[in-house]
Amino acid sequence: LRGKELYEAHLFYNYQYYLESIPHKSNILVIRTEHMQDDWNKIELGLGGRSRTNITFPHDNSKPKEARDLILGDDERMLLCHELCVEIQTYKLLLRNALNIDETQYNTSMKELQASCPNEALLKQCDFHTPNIKNKLSENRGYPQN
């Protein structure tokens, strides 16, 4: 879950990987799954395009959960949130630095995060070290090691 070993691509190539892959001081735009149409339209307008309504995006993880998806108990969810702490802190950093996310949108996302992972939503730093992924970046992106 911490992106140290390649078990599943979406766990290994995580927010930390992509954030550390881009040049420092890059402009960042994000599209939050929970607010996909609003974020898409804000970016479109910012790039000179037009706003659209009733956009259909092929995604499943922003719909209300079915009973079978709610089998994770509170203890298990808190453990999962703890293990994803670095990922959550990086997510917060991405939102904070995204050009298309204003303070109100950021606060909305933090309230949503707090509903799922209350401890990690309030933390500034995890109680374990952020993994050093310099080798992973070098091996998978070809970046020189410093």
Side-chain angles (χ1 to χ4, degrees):
L1 288 177
R2 295 185 184 177
K4 293 180 183 178
E5 301 292 329
L6 180 57
Y7 297 110
E8 293 290 333
H10 68 277
L11 298 175
F12 190 66
Y13 301 110
N14 53 16
Y15 287 141
Q16 179 193 7
Y17 176 81
Y18 290 108
L19 182 62
E20 291 188 27
S21 294
I22 61 175
H24 293 287
K25 299 190 181 192
S26 292
N27 291 329
I28 298 171
L29 301 170
V30 300
I31 297 178
R32 300 164 295 161
T33 302
E34 301 85 357
H35 307 280
M36 195 171 284
Q37 182 170 312
D38 292 337
D39 292 348
W40 180 273
N41 280 329
K42 189 170 184 178
I43 291 171
E44 271 295 313
L45 290 170
L47 295 173
R50 63 181 176 83
S51 182
R52 298 175 51 195
T53 57
N54 299 320
I55 302 172
T56 302
F57 294 100
H59 65 285
D60 292 324
N61 57 347
S62 69
K63 297 176 185 172
K65 303 295 182 218
E66 296 181 27
R68 65 180 168 78
D69 294 327
L70 299 174
I71 58 174
L72 194 63
D74 288 340
D75 291 341
E76 292 83 5
R77 184 175 40 80
M78 295 310 243
L79 178 61
L80 183 60
C81 289
H82 180 266
E83 290 301 311
L84 290 172
C85 184
V86 170
E87 191 75 345
I88 292 168
Q89 301 315 308
T90 306
Y91 169 74
K92 290 166 29 179
L93 181 63
L94 284 167
L95 288 182
R96 177 61 73 197
N97 290 300
L99 297 176
N100 63 305
I101 302 296
D102 63 29
E103 192 68 24
T104 300
Q105 292 168 310
Y106 177 83
N107 289 335
T108 297
S109 289
M110 291 307 99
K111 286 178 187 170
E112 293 164 350
L113 176 59
Q114 196 164 15
S116 295
C117 296
N119 298 332
E120 291 70 21
L122 298 174
L123 285 176
K124 300 282 186 222
Q125 184 176 339
C126 304
D127 64 2
F128 52 87
H129 294 293
T130 300
N132 182 333
I133 64 168
K134 299 289 184 212
N135 288 339
K136 179 167 57 170
L137 289 170
S138 178
E139 292 167 6
N140 294 282
R141 303 287 294 225
Y143 296 157
Q145 295 182 19
N146 295 334

